[in-house]
Amino acid sequence: MTHTEYNFDGLIGPTHNYAGLSFGNLASASNAGAASNPREAALQGLAKMRAAMALGLGQGFLPPQDRPHLKTLRALGFSGTDKQIIDKAGKAEPQLLANCYAASCMWTANAATVAPSPDTADGKVHFTAANLAANFHRSIEAETTARVLAHIFNSDKYFVHHPPLPGAMHFGDEGAANHGRLAPEHGAPGVHLFVYGEDGARFPARQKLRASQAVARGHLLAPENTVFVQQSAAALDAGAFHNDVLGVANGTVLFLHEQSFADREAAFSAIRKAAPYVEIIEAPAAQISLEDAVQSYLFNSQLVTLPGGEAALIMPIESEENPRVKAFLDQTVARNNPINRVIFKNVRESMRNGGGPACLRLRVVLSDEEVAAADPHFILDEAKIVNLETWVTTHYRDRLTPDDLRDPSLMDESFAAMQALTDSLDLGAFYDFQQ
Ligand code: SUG
């Protein structure tokens, strides 16, 4: 059976904006209040998807969610017509309105944790939608994300869907952003690397160990194929609010910063024991500071296995622009290791909210039969990308500031866009605003 790596990118929604909602995410904080360009953001995301397809990789997407999320505003006591709700919330609680307007579901690395079928005791692909309990604007995504995944991967024969973990921050779970899979090849049983945090001196940890353990349990992973590693407090406090800001794993390669883990030696020995084939490619702190790594998002790259077997990195252009990072990358490619290619993409609109190329995708390894069982509307080809680009240019604004969120016509435009999208994807009355 052939297994292929698919990346499901988040299609960036029409309300993409900079509201400074994520404590511990330095880019989100420093761009708070700036004007965003939702149209450019979505087109940048689609261009990245096209680049991955050009490399011969499978590419899918997850649709944006309905924002403003009126259901949440109603649950929090705002009443009246849709327009009255926006008006009242904008006057009384502008920050709450911004939370309900966030397009943050674009970062699908946080949508869920996935275990491919070669790894699970029942031979099915398991999904656990992340509860994203650490931030209010992100926690709103969980229920709809679970619905989206169940819709796209809708077959009891091949797929198992677990609801977001209960218990809020007691089981705080941020999905695949703190998880990686190592395997000699995609179709062989893999080793799951779960990275959790403990609160730092500056910033709180989002991913709890007990949450990672619960996901591993639910996914029926063999204990010898799971490794749980603590992120270093230095990394968290330097702005690595998810582990994928400082490291990425795929295939036989673990690519990371020297200061990623609390106990580097113990972590490496546990990983090598479970996955003896692993090649660890590390950036020494003396060459790349934590500050450079967080600014350039060097490790928030998509580490992908190309059809010929070599590994490539799809990286943010911020990494090309940082001379120390660029020098390190040149050395890495020149050395004898599986990483032979680096492709730089401009996803600046997303980067300004702390989301690099790897944040924008959920990696799902699927067999041919499993791909055939997935909803083809969400598996991309060139024609479908062109349709999505036309949809974006038809419906999206090219400038949005936090003040614009109070403008009820933004809600109308956003819902009109979502209506057109659900029509084209045969989704029916899928979103809360359509009920
Ligand atoms: O959760 N930013 C996201 C970025 C997520 C990046 N994902 C990964 N590292 N995998 C977050 O902090 C900012 C929204 C705002 O401030 O308007 C935001 O939600």
Side-chain angles (χ1 to χ4, degrees), residues 320-341:
E320 190 177 25
E321 291 165 354
N322 180 315
R324 293 169 298 280
V325 169
K326 180 68 169 58
F328 170 72
L329 284 169
D330 290 342
Q331 283 170 15
T332 302
V333 171
R335 283 195 184 124
N336 184 22
N337 65 51
I339 299 178
N340 292 328
R341 249 180 108 172

Side-chain angles (χ1 to χ4, degrees), residues 16-36 107 137 202-203 206 236-242 245 291 293-297 300 318 347-356 359:
H16 156 67
N17 73 95
Y18 302 122
L21 301 176
S22 288
F23 183 56
N25 172 340
L26 303 182
S28 158
S30 66
N31 290 302
S36 65
W107 297 296
H137 69 293
R202 238 180 125 193
F203 297 133
R206 298 194 194 182
L236 186 70
D237 283 341
F241 55 96
H242 290 136
V245 174
E291 195 185 11
V294 171
Q295 176 276 327
S296 68
Y297 260 44
N300 199 261
E318 285 76 359
V347 290
R348 260 200 232 286
E349 283 286 325
S350 167
M351 283 285 286
R352 289 197 187 112
N353 255 338
C359 302

Side-chain angles (χ1 to χ4, degrees), residues 111-433:
T113 308
V114 185
S117 53
D119 306 348
T120 60
D122 61 1
K124 299 185 186 187
V125 185
H126 285 244
F127 297 85
T128 299
N131 63 23
L132 293 170
N135 289 282
F136 179 63
H137 69 293
R138 302 229 54 187
S139 68
I140 303 168
E141 297 165 36
E143 191 188 315
T144 307
T145 300
R147 211 184 319 148
V148 167
L149 291 170
H151 176 89
I152 298 176
F153 301 100
N154 177 15
S155 160
D156 294 346
K157 185 170 170 201
Y158 295 110
F159 308 118
V160 180
H161 293 278
H162 303 273
L165 298 179
M169 268 319 280
H170 193 70
F171 285 100
D173 176 26
E174 302 270 320
N178 298 297
H179 168 263
R181 175 180 187 258
L182 293 161
E185 52 193 57
H186 288 322
V191 167
H192 290 247
L193 173 61
F194 291 90
V195 184
Y196 62 93
E198 297 287 343
D199 290 351
R202 238 180 125 193
F203 297 133
R206 298 194 194 182
Q207 181 75 36
K208 299 292 179 196
L209 170 59
R210 58 175 85 85
S212 301
Q213 290 167 331
V215 171
R217 227 176 359 251
H219 288 190
L220 308 177
L221 301 176
E224 64 274 20
N225 289 338
T226 58
V227 181
F228 298 91
V229 171
Q230 189 185 329
Q231 186 189 28
S232 76
L236 186 70
D237 283 341
F241 55 96
H242 290 136
N243 178 65
D244 69 0
V245 174
L246 286 185
V248 56
N250 187 37
T252 59
V253 179
L254 173 61
F255 179 55
L256 81 176
H257 190 271
E258 185 183 350
Q259 288 165 290
S260 293
F261 299 145
D263 184 342
R264 174 179 169 274
E265 300 301 320
F268 284 8
S269 95
I271 293 165
R272 287 202 171 100
K273 183 160 179 259
Y277 48 81
V278 69
E279 293 198 44
I280 299 179
I281 303 175
E282 191 183 35
Q287 189 176 1
I288 305 289
S289 65
L290 279 176
E291 195 185 11
D292 272 340
V294 171
Q295 176 276 327
S296 68
Y297 260 44
L298 146 73
F299 299 101
N300 199 261
S301 47
Q302 286 183 249
L303 173 60
V304 294
T305 314
L306 301 182
E310 63 176 353
L313 291 169
I314 304 175
M315 315 198 70
I317 50 171
E318 285 76 359
S319 293
E320 190 177 25
E321 291 165 354
N322 180 315
R324 293 169 298 280
V325 169
K326 180 68 169 58
F328 170 72
L329 284 169
D330 290 342
Q331 283 170 15
T332 302
V333 171
R335 283 195 184 124
N336 184 22
N337 65 51
I339 299 178
N340 292 328
R341 249 180 108 172
V342 176
I343 295 115
F344 296 102
K345 293 304 293 176
N346 177 359
V347 290
R348 260 200 232 286
E349 283 286 325
S350 167
M351 283 285 286
R352 289 197 187 112
N353 255 338
C359 302
L360 285 163
R361 63 90 178 94
L362 179 67
R363 197 192 328 250
V364 188
V365 169
L366 295 168
S367 71
D368 295 344
E369 289 85 350
E370 290 155 2
V371 179
D375 185 334
H377 286 103
F378 299 89
I379 310 274
L380 288 171
D381 55 23
E382 180 56 26
K384 288 180 201 164
I385 290 216
V386 170
N387 285 343
L388 290 173
E389 284 168 341
T390 306
W391 171 75
V392 168
T393 46
T394 309
H395 292 282
Y396 282 42
R397 293 190 183 189
D398 62 6
R399 186 183 153 85
L400 208 51
T401 64
D403 272 352
D404 296 328
L405 305 183
R406 293 206 298 264
D407 170 9
S409 56
L410 177 66
M411 171 180 67
D412 293 341
E413 290 164 31
S414 172
F415 289 168
M418 295 303 289
Q419 185 63 50
L421 186 70
T422 50
D423 288 347
S424 71
L425 297 171
D426 278 344
L427 274 173
F430 188 83
Y431 288 107
D432 294 317
F433 85 97

